[in-house]
Amino acid sequence: MEITVKESTIVRPAQDTPKGSLWSSNFDLLMTRYHVPLVFFYRPNGCSNFFDPGKLKEALGKVLVPFYPIAGRLGLDKNGRLEIVCNAEGVLFIEAESTSAMDQFGGDFSDKSEVFRLVPKVDYSGGISSYPLLVSQVTTFKCGGVCLGVGFQHTLGDGASTLHFINSWGETARGLSLSIAPFMDRTLFRARVPPTPRFHHAEYDPPPSILPSESRLHDHKPSIVSAFKLTVDQLNTLKAKSKIENADDTMKYSTFNILAAHLWRSITKARGLPNDQPTMLYIPIDGRSKLNPPVPTGYFGNAVLGVTTIARAGDLRSEPFTETIKRIHQLVKQVNDEYIRSAIDYIEKAPDLSTLVRGPQTFQCPNLAVNSWVWLPIYDADFGWGRPIYMGPGNVVQEGKLYILRSPTDDGSSSLVTRLETSHMELFKKFLYEFELITPVISKI
């Protein structure tokens, strides 16, 4: 894919904004310091000013006023704690064009599709204060379609905060007032005095590693990204299977718990892990509604707590499907106000925060992270020319990470985007659809 950059601009807030520093919560500190890449695809609607860069940059400058920390830079306070320096240095906006047709992507997020090139690459070599916290690129294809690629630095916020900003940018471009104002006070997630963790937070323990007898089979193996689709009929079949196997249980399990259990079992099978191999499932949980009282609407920051459960591969292969579902149900159910407060206090007492940061080693084989974006407003980024026809991660950089996305038409179907070792991906596709003898449906734009 050939991409030509036409213009690169630093966009600053359109008005004066508060100066100073924004304190980072313990959850902010544990985020990997990279820009989360997102892509939004739009079909042309016949307007002569379709995705006009001037209009987009003007709206970006305006929306950076209420979202002023995004225009700042990372820094360290006098104690060496990471903070956001609100200095209005601005964000990156790139105009680009491609000789490719947008349809050729077809929901293809594999490495060969080069979709990651639709998001600006960030140079981290100059240190944490050297780069913008938001980078964006509008790429026009030869068919007239457009991709908006966004890189959002993870210390700024989680998925909910990222989409809050992008959708607010769209509202501003349409001449509307913000439907939800950002709430910037991160001290809501400050540790108690003194810190009093009441639980053992296994999510911060070192993740299981491949058993020594298997390590040579998994060292430095190449990995690929693939996308799959589960139709509403397929999801209903999967849910029906769980009910049939658990006819005597009156508990109703969520679609997410059922699907996550199926994915964990399928990937464990695809990896061919020995029976005694421990495997960890990692699930991010949004804490906004779990706190008592809930955090204000529009909270801007990281409010996600990752929880984990561990099982032996042999148990996942042999136990009834409903037993795996119950593992996940109990895991998710435990997250409440006290559990989140305990986690914040646990982080506060940690002698070395770097040991708690989740990174590539956390999710790689034999482990798995299942991140649901089904509840996020991922198709609300309307800049005045209509909603995106597809949205997804610009790249899945970590092996063992999987995203669940809802359909742009809200027809009840879901798309899965994941990175696995190359030798495991075909087997995963087989086991993913094994609950029903059906032909795999590859995700399409």
Side-chain angles (χ1 to χ4, degrees):
M1 177 174 62
E2 183 179 340
I3 295 178
T4 303
V5 173
K6 297 173 63 179
E7 186 172 90
S8 180
T9 309
I10 292 294
V11 178
R12 294 178 172 82
Q15 301 173 19
D16 288 341
T17 53
K19 301 297 188 289
S21 299
L22 186 65
W23 181 82
S24 295
S25 76
N26 286 347
F27 288 157
D28 298 323
L29 297 181
L30 294 192
M31 293 298 112
T32 306
R33 294 179 194 172
Y34 81 113
H35 289 65
V36 179
L38 304 174
V39 287
F40 301 79
F41 290 93
Y42 299 82
R43 290 202 189 282
N45 66 351
C47 291
S48 59
N49 69 338
F50 184 65
F51 270 81
D52 175 60
K55 182 177 180 180
L56 291 172
K57 285 187 286 188
E58 181 183 6
L60 181 56
K62 289 179 179 179
V63 80
L64 286 174
V65 175
F67 285 90
Y68 61 91
I70 295 176
R73 298 292 185 266
L74 294 181
L76 301 175
D77 68 12
K78 62 182 180 181
N79 297 315
R81 185 185 180 96
L82 189 69
E83 63 182 5
I84 298 173
V85 181
C86 302
N87 55 16
E89 289 194 8
V91 302
L92 178 65
F93 183 92
I94 291 177
E95 303 167 47
E97 58 185 13
S98 173
T99 56
S100 301
M102 186 172 69
D103 286 347
Q104 79 176 54
F105 291 98
D108 182 4
F109 288 91
S110 65
D111 295 331
K112 64 179 173 57
S113 76
E114 297 187 293
V115 69
F116 58 88
R117 295 182 58 202
L118 299 173
V119 180
K121 186 176 181 180
V122 179
D123 180 5
Y124 296 104
S125 63
I128 63 172
S129 300
S130 65
Y131 48 79
L133 302 182
L134 175 81
V135 296
S136 59
Q137 178 175 312
V138 173
T139 303
T140 302
F141 297 95
K142 68 178 182 181
C143 59
V146 161
C147 174
L148 171 64
V150 174
F152 195 86
Q153 211 283 335
H154 213 332
T155 305
L156 279 175
D158 51 23
S161 291
T162 304
L163 289 166
H164 180 194
F165 169 74
I166 294 171
N167 294 344
S168 296
W169 181 9
E171 288 177 332
T172 304
R174 299 192 331 258
L176 304 177
S177 299
L178 300 191
S179 56
I180 302 174
F183 184 87
M184 295 295 181
D185 185 5
R186 302 187 177 200
T187 61
L188 296 177
F189 287 89
R190 193 184 292 277
R192 293 173 289 200
V193 181
T196 52
R198 302 186 188 279
F199 299 90
H200 171 66
H201 290 274
E203 57 267 25
Y204 300 121
D205 289 344
S209 55
I210 286 290
L211 296 174
S213 60
E214 299 289 312
S215 61
R216 66 179 181 82
L217 301 176
H218 295 272
D219 283 347
H220 308 297
K221 291 288 186 179
S223 61
I224 57 171
V225 177
S226 292
F228 306 95
K229 182 176 180 179
L230 289 172
T231 67
V232 64
D233 288 340
Q234 291 165 349
L235 290 170
N236 286 337
T237 299
L238 189 61
K239 288 188 280 187
K241 177 186 176 185
S242 71
K243 292 178 181 178
I244 292 171
E245 290 191 10
N246 201 32
D248 298 330
D249 192 342
T250 59
M251 176 66 70
K252 290 186 177 180
Y253 299 109
S254 70
T255 300
F256 172 78
N257 290 347
I258 294 169
L259 179 55
H262 179 60
L263 294 170
W264 194 17
R265 289 158 66 98
S266 299
I267 289 177
T268 297
K269 291 178 186 177
R271 287 167 163 170
L273 301 176
N275 287 338
D276 58 344
Q277 172 67 60
T279 170
M280 180 189 75
L281 177 66
Y282 177 97
I283 298 175
I285 304 291
D286 189 293
R288 286 169 174 78
S289 63
K290 305 290 185 182
L291 290 183
N292 187 19
V295 301
T297 302
Y299 176 79
F300 189 78
N302 289 284
V304 168
L305 170 68
V307 291
T308 60
T309 184
I310 295 176
R312 293 191 311 165
D315 292 337
L316 291 181
R317 277 193 286 263
S318 62
E319 70 185 15
F321 183 35
T322 50
E323 289 303 309
T324 310
I325 298 172
K326 288 177 183 177
R327 291 179 188 267
I328 297 170
H329 173 76
Q330 292 300 323
L331 175 68
V332 174
K333 183 181 176 182
Q334 72 179 333
V335 181
N336 55 22
D337 178 80
E338 181 53 43
Y339 192 88
I340 294 172
R341 294 294 177 193
S342 175
I344 294 170
D345 291 351
Y346 183 91
I347 299 168
E348 187 74 12
K349 295 187 71 173
D352 182 4
L353 284 183
S354 67
T355 63
L356 307 185
V357 175
R358 309 292 84 179
Q361 77 287 350
T362 309
F363 315 120
Q364 67 189 17
C365 185
N367 306 313
L368 173 68
V370 176
N371 194 344
S372 176
W373 287 1
V374 171
W375 60 277
L376 291 170
I378 61 176
Y379 293 109
D380 289 352
D382 182 354
F383 294 84
W385 302 286
R387 290 153 58 93
I389 60 167
Y390 197 90
M391 179 272 181
N395 193 10
V396 183
V397 297
Q398 297 165 340
E399 193 272 327
K401 209 165 191 178
L402 183 147
Y403 295 91
I404 305 174
L405 312 174
R406 63 182 173 89
S407 164
T409 59
D410 284 328
D411 60 3
S413 65
S414 293
S415 294
L416 312 175
V417 184
T418 186
R419 178 180 288 277
L420 296 175
E421 290 183 17
T422 306
S423 60
H424 300 158
M425 191 63 82
E426 277 300 312
L427 286 171
F428 169 59
K429 181 167 66 175
K430 172 180 180 291
F431 294 129
L432 172 65
Y433 297 101
E434 198 174 55
F435 66 91
E436 183 181 61
L437 295 178
I438 52 178
T439 301
V441 183
I442 304 303
S443 176
K444 297 288 184 183
I445 288 179

